[in-house]
Amino acid sequence: MRGTGRMNETLRDELLEMARRDREVRAELVASGELFGGYEPRMARVHERNARRLRRILESVGWPGTDLVGPDGAEAAWIVLQHAIAEPDLLRRALPLLQAAAREGRASPLHAAMLEDRIRFFEGRPQRYGTQFDWDAERKLSPGEVEDPHALDERRHAVGLPPLAEQMEEARLRATAEGDGPPTDYEAYARARDEWAASAGWRAD
């Protein structure tokens, strides 16, 4: 469903507040050192509450694009969606809406690319753009397996992403600054990650 072509300031303000609350709680958990020990329950509650509201928004107006909620409102909607990791059906349902909005100039192609990668990451499939990072067996943040790696940076450039090496360096520096580090037992970490993905509905049993 396309936007109305008229700004909805009330919806924009609501989306901005949802994203602001998400960032606020995340910052508090980073400061306390609680964020990186699994899916922290307080963070999960914020994501779940935001996801419920975003689901209703999608049902009402389709993807809230820049024409309806402005660039900042559309980005806030995308942030809320990216963080709704316990709602695989919501992310999967939103992907074609966001992709269509990007083609129509009402959303960022970068946002659509990162959402596609997000879904692929949690489903355990190779990413197309290499935007989602996780700890690997070498104790480094990396995107893991990607489709057609020789053309990866070309695909990234087409949606406004820097070369993978640049983003990977930035992600590793940010993790260090926030106090995030590799798991002491990678096999246990990977097993718990995959079990969570299956329990959340990302993967078939």
Side-chain angles (χ1 to χ4, degrees):
M1 182 184 301
R2 291 181 64 94
T4 64
R6 293 178 297 173
M7 284 286 291
N8 185 327
E9 293 290 351
T10 300
L11 179 56
R12 172 180 172 270
D13 289 346
E14 182 179 8
L15 288 166
L16 291 174
E17 174 59 23
M18 290 161 68
R20 185 203 64 77
R21 179 60 177 160
D22 184 304
R23 289 192 297 268
E24 178 183 68
V25 172
R26 186 185 189 280
E28 291 172 359
L29 294 172
V30 167
S32 67
E34 299 174 83
L35 184 65
F36 304 113
Y39 196 12
E40 205 282 332
R42 186 179 169 199
M43 193 81 264
R45 287 193 295 273
V46 172
H47 292 166
E48 290 164 7
R49 183 168 58 250
N50 283 350
R52 285 195 299 271
R53 176 55 184 144
L54 184 60
R55 189 185 299 274
R56 293 194 295 271
I57 292 170
L58 295 183
E59 291 170 352
S60 175
V61 303
W63 182 255
T66 55
D67 57 329
L68 184 64
V69 295
D72 54 354
E75 181 172 16
W78 170 74
I79 290 170
V80 168
L81 180 64
Q82 285 282 97
H83 292 177
I85 60 174
E87 308 280 347
D89 62 319
L90 176 61
L91 272 70
R92 290 167 176 150
R93 178 185 175 192
L95 179 59
L97 300 178
L98 180 53
Q99 289 173 327
R103 288 193 297 270
E104 295 162 0
R106 301 185 297 110
S108 166
L110 172 58
H111 290 171
M114 292 184 73
L115 177 60
E116 182 179 357
D117 269 1
R118 193 98 161 147
I119 292 170
R120 285 169 171 257
F121 171 78
F122 283 115
E123 290 177 345
R125 297 190 290 133
Q127 297 182 47
R128 278 185 53 76
Y129 302 94
T131 62
Q132 308 298 300
F133 296 91
D134 199 5
W135 298 108
D136 61 25
E138 280 69 49
R139 298 172 59 83
K140 295 180 179 179
L141 280 177
S142 75
E145 189 178 359
V146 296
E147 267 188 8
D148 188 13
H150 297 295
L152 176 61
D153 278 342
E154 183 179 344
R155 290 196 301 276
R156 290 173 61 89
H157 178 73
V159 296
L161 282 163
L164 175 62
E166 290 183 19
Q167 187 183 7
M168 195 152 50
E169 181 181 7
E170 179 183 334
R172 291 172 178 175
L173 289 172
R174 183 170 60 249
T176 299
E178 292 182 341
D180 191 11
T184 54
D185 185 337
Y186 174 75
E187 290 185 1
Y189 170 82
R191 185 166 56 250
R193 178 193 60 203
D194 294 344
E195 288 173 354
W196 176 86
S199 68
W202 283 108
R203 306 182 190 182
D205 295 335

